[in-house]
Amino acid sequence: EAGVAQSPRYKIIEKRQSVAFWCNPISGHATLYWYQQILGQGPKLLIQFQNNGVVDDSQLPKDRFSAERLKGVDSTLKIQPAKLEDSAVYLCASSLSERSGNTIYFGEGSWLTVV
Amino acid sequence: DQQVKQNSPSLSVQEGRISILNCDYTNSMFDYFLWYKKYPAEGPTFLISISSIKDKNEDGRFTVFLNKSAKHLSLHIVPSQPGDSAVYFCAASGGSNYKLTFGKGTLLTVNP
């Protein structure tokens, strides 16, 4: 079974530039998550989708971050304009459903450096 | 306000001995707990989980214990192997929305 796919793996941009990350979840998984992990911290949820609807985006900095999951499968996370503090690993994850008890599987992450 | 706390940033053990990683939580709504393992440059990998209706769950060398009254869980690895060297994250979920709240992680080093 293929895992959660993410691209690009690594990205270096200058502050105020924009960047987009792509995620393809495990086939059949209805719930998709984007997490941000800053060095030395645990992953922090940015946004959660159930199919193509947003379930939770309370910690997404909406003035610069946006995410979509138009057809309920792939998802894109965009940052515009980027700030130095956005340097982090952006982890996409998926689970069968939003019901507690389902394992959440993570991709390898997209590593962003803002200079 | 950190709802999931892993107070030991690092732990070092000898191969073959027991590794015990600890995790505390403050949110009484949490009812499902997971441990993830993370190697450098990789995403977190699911290791083991436990529901709040249980106090122990075992999978091979890995056992998770849950003490609800103390809001504390621990992961035991017996025997520890060098390949277990990684960062271990404790995560919890609960309430109406299934999302994970993570601790900061504990770096486990198993020395040969």
Side-chain angles (χ1 to χ4, degrees), chain A residues 1-4 24-33 49-52 69 71-74 93-98 102-106:
Chain A
E1 179 184 85
V4 177
N24 182 244
I26 293 173
S27 177
H29 280 196
T31 310
L32 185 147
Y33 311 80
F49 292 95
Q50 178 66 15
N51 295 309
N52 60 351
R69 193 184 185 200
K71 295 182 180 177
V73 181
D74 293 7
S94 70
S95 64
L96 268 175
S97 80
E98 61 181 347
N102 283 291
T103 300
I104 296 178
Y105 297 91
F106 285 83

Coordinates of all heavy atoms in Angstrom, one line a residue, chain A residues 1-4 24-33 49-52 69 71-74 93-98 102-106:
Chain A
E1 N 0.9 -1.2 0.0 CA 0.0 0.0 0.0 C 0.9 1.2 0.0 O 1.8 1.4 0.8 CB -0.9 0.0 1.3 CG -1.8 1.2 1.4 CD -2.6 1.2 2.7 OE1 -2.0 1.7 3.7 OE2 -3.7 0.7 2.7
A2 N 0.6 2.2 -0.9 CA 1.4 3.4 -1.0 C 1.1 4.2 0.2 O 0.0 4.3 0.7 CB 1.1 4.1 -2.3
G3 N 2.1 5.0 0.7 CA 1.9 5.9 1.8 C 1.5 7.2 1.4 O 1.1 7.5 0.2
V4 N 1.6 8.2 2.3 CA 1.3 9.6 2.0 C 2.4 10.2 1.2 O 3.6 10.1 1.7 CB 1.0 10.3 3.3 CG1 0.8 11.8 3.0 CG2 -0.1 9.7 4.1
N24 N -0.6 13.9 -1.5 CA -1.5 12.9 -2.0 C -1.7 11.8 -0.9 O -0.7 11.1 -0.5 CB -1.0 12.2 -3.3 CG -2.0 11.2 -3.8 OD1 -1.7 10.0 -3.8 ND2 -3.1 11.6 -4.2
P25 N -2.9 11.8 -0.3 CA -3.0 10.9 0.9 C -3.1 9.4 0.5 O -3.1 9.1 -0.7 CB -4.3 11.3 1.5 CG -5.1 11.8 0.3 CD -4.1 12.4 -0.6
I26 N -3.1 8.5 1.5 CA -3.3 7.1 1.2 C -4.7 6.9 0.6 O -5.7 7.5 1.0 CB -3.2 6.3 2.5 CG1 -1.7 6.4 3.0 CG2 -3.6 4.9 2.3 CD1 -1.5 5.8 4.4
S27 N -4.8 6.1 -0.4 CA -6.0 5.8 -1.2 C -7.1 5.4 -0.2 O -7.0 4.5 0.6 CB -5.8 4.7 -2.2 OG -7.0 4.4 -2.9
G28 N -8.3 6.1 -0.4 CA -9.4 5.8 0.4 C -9.5 6.5 1.8 O -10.5 6.4 2.5
H29 N -8.5 7.3 2.1 CA -8.5 8.0 3.3 C -9.3 9.3 3.2 O -8.9 10.2 2.3 CB -7.1 8.3 3.8 CG -6.4 7.2 4.5 ND1 -5.3 7.3 5.3 CD2 -6.8 5.9 4.5 CE1 -5.0 6.1 5.8 NE2 -5.8 5.2 5.3
A30 N -10.3 9.5 4.0 CA -11.2 10.7 3.8 C -10.7 11.9 4.6 O -11.0 13.0 4.2 CB -12.6 10.3 4.4
T31 N -9.9 11.6 5.6 CA -9.4 12.8 6.4 C -8.0 13.1 6.1 O -7.1 12.2 6.0 CB -9.5 12.4 7.9 OG1 -10.9 12.0 8.2 CG2 -9.3 13.7 8.8
L32 N -7.7 14.3 5.9 CA -6.3 14.8 5.5 C -6.0 15.9 6.5 O -6.8 16.8 6.8 CB -6.3 15.3 4.1 CG -4.9 15.7 3.5 CD1 -4.8 15.3 2.0 CD2 -4.6 17.1 3.7
Y33 N -4.7 15.9 6.9 CA -4.2 16.9 7.9 C -2.9 17.5 7.3 O -2.1 16.9 6.7 CB -3.8 16.3 9.2 CG -4.9 15.3 9.8 CD1 -5.0 14.0 9.4 CD2 -5.6 15.8 10.9 CE1 -5.9 13.2 10.0 CE2 -6.6 14.9 11.5 CZ -6.7 13.6 11.0 OH -7.6 12.8 11.6
F49 N -9.0 18.4 6.9 CA -10.1 18.3 6.0 C -10.8 16.9 6.2 O -10.2 15.9 6.5 CB -9.5 18.2 4.5 CG -8.9 19.5 4.0 CD1 -7.6 19.7 4.1 CD2 -9.7 20.5 3.4 CE1 -7.0 20.9 3.7 CE2 -9.2 21.7 3.0 CZ -7.8 21.9 3.1
Q50 N -12.1 16.9 6.0 CA -12.8 15.7 5.9 C -13.4 15.7 4.5 O -14.3 16.5 4.2 CB -14.0 15.6 7.0 CG -14.8 14.4 6.9 CD -14.1 13.1 7.3 OE1 -13.0 13.2 7.8 NE2 -14.7 12.0 6.9
N51 N -13.0 14.8 3.6 CA -13.2 14.9 2.2 C -12.8 16.2 1.7 O -11.6 16.6 1.9 CB -14.7 14.5 1.9 CG -15.0 13.1 2.3 OD1 -14.3 12.2 1.9 ND2 -16.0 12.9 3.1
N52 N -13.6 17.0 1.1 CA -13.1 18.3 0.6 C -13.6 19.5 1.5 O -13.4 20.7 1.1 CB -13.5 18.6 -0.8 CG -15.0 18.6 -1.0 OD1 -15.8 18.2 -0.1 ND2 -15.5 18.9 -2.1
R69 N -8.5 21.3 -0.8 CA -8.6 19.9 -1.2 C -9.8 19.8 -2.1 O -10.8 19.3 -1.6 CB -8.7 19.0 0.1 CG -8.5 17.6 -0.2 CD -8.7 16.7 1.1 NE -8.4 15.3 0.8 CZ -8.9 14.3 1.6 NH1 -9.7 14.6 2.6 NH2 -8.5 13.1 1.3
K71 N -11.0 18.1 -4.8 CA -11.8 17.0 -5.2 C -11.8 15.9 -4.1 O -12.1 14.7 -4.3 CB -11.2 16.4 -6.5 CG -11.3 17.3 -7.7 CD -10.7 16.7 -8.9 CE -10.9 17.7 -10.1 NZ -10.3 17.1 -11.3
G72 N -11.4 16.3 -2.9 CA -11.4 15.4 -1.8 C -10.3 14.3 -1.8 O -10.4 13.3 -1.0
V73 N -9.3 14.6 -2.6 CA -8.2 13.6 -2.6 C -6.9 14.4 -2.3 O -6.5 14.6 -1.2 CB -8.1 12.9 -3.9 CG1 -6.9 11.9 -3.9 CG2 -9.4 12.1 -4.2
D74 N -6.2 14.9 -3.4 CA -5.0 15.7 -3.2 C -5.3 17.0 -2.5 O -6.4 17.5 -2.5 CB -4.4 16.0 -4.6 CG -3.9 14.8 -5.3 OD1 -4.1 13.7 -4.8 OD2 -3.3 15.0 -6.4
A93 N -0.7 14.4 6.6 CA -1.1 13.1 7.1 C -2.5 12.7 6.7 O -3.3 13.6 6.3 CB -1.0 13.1 8.7
S94 N -2.8 11.5 6.8 CA -4.2 11.1 6.4 C -4.7 9.9 7.3 O -3.9 9.2 7.9 CB -4.3 10.7 5.0 OG -3.7 9.5 4.7
S95 N -6.0 9.8 7.4 CA -6.6 8.7 8.2 C -7.9 8.3 7.5 O -8.5 9.1 6.7 CB -6.9 9.1 9.6 OG -7.8 10.1 9.7
L96 N -8.4 7.1 7.8 CA -9.6 6.6 7.1 C -10.8 7.5 7.3 O -11.5 7.8 6.4 CB -9.9 5.2 7.6 CG -9.3 4.0 6.9 CD1 -9.6 2.7 7.6 CD2 -9.9 4.0 5.4
S97 N -10.9 8.0 8.6 CA -12.0 8.9 8.9 C -11.6 9.7 10.0 O -10.5 9.6 10.6 CB -13.3 8.1 9.2 OG -13.2 7.6 10.6
E98 N -12.5 10.6 10.4 CA -12.2 11.6 11.5 C -12.6 10.9 12.8 O -12.5 11.6 13.8 CB -12.9 12.9 11.3 CG -14.5 12.7 11.2 CD -15.2 14.0 11.0 OE1 -14.5 15.1 11.1 OE2 -16.4 14.0 10.7
N102 N -8.7 5.8 14.6 CA -8.1 5.5 13.3 C -6.7 6.0 13.4 O -6.4 7.1 13.8 CB -8.9 6.2 12.2 CG -10.1 5.4 11.8 OD1 -10.1 4.3 11.3 ND2 -11.3 6.0 12.1
T103 N -5.8 5.2 12.9 CA -4.4 5.6 12.9 C -4.2 6.7 11.9 O -4.8 6.7 10.8 CB -3.5 4.4 12.5 OG1 -3.7 3.3 13.5 CG2 -2.0 4.8 12.5
I104 N -3.4 7.7 12.2 CA -3.1 8.8 11.4 C -1.7 8.5 10.8 O -0.7 8.3 11.6 CB -3.1 10.1 12.1 CG1 -4.6 10.4 12.5 CG2 -2.6 11.3 11.2 CD1 -4.7 11.7 13.3
Y105 N -1.6 8.5 9.5 CA -0.3 8.2 8.8 C 0.3 9.4 8.2 O -0.4 10.2 7.6 CB -0.5 7.1 7.7 CG -1.0 5.8 8.2 CD1 -2.4 5.5 8.3 CD2 -0.1 4.8 8.5 CE1 -2.8 4.3 8.7 CE2 -0.6 3.6 9.0 CZ -1.9 3.3 9.1 OH -2.4 2.1 9.5
F106 N 1.6 9.6 8.4 CA 2.3 10.8 8.0 C 3.1 10.5 6.7 O 3.7 9.4 6.5 CB 3.2 11.3 9.1 CG 2.5 12.0 10.2 CD1 1.9 11.3 11.2 CD2 2.4 13.4 10.2 CE1 1.2 11.9 12.3 CE2 1.7 14.0 11.2 CZ 1.1 13.3 12.3

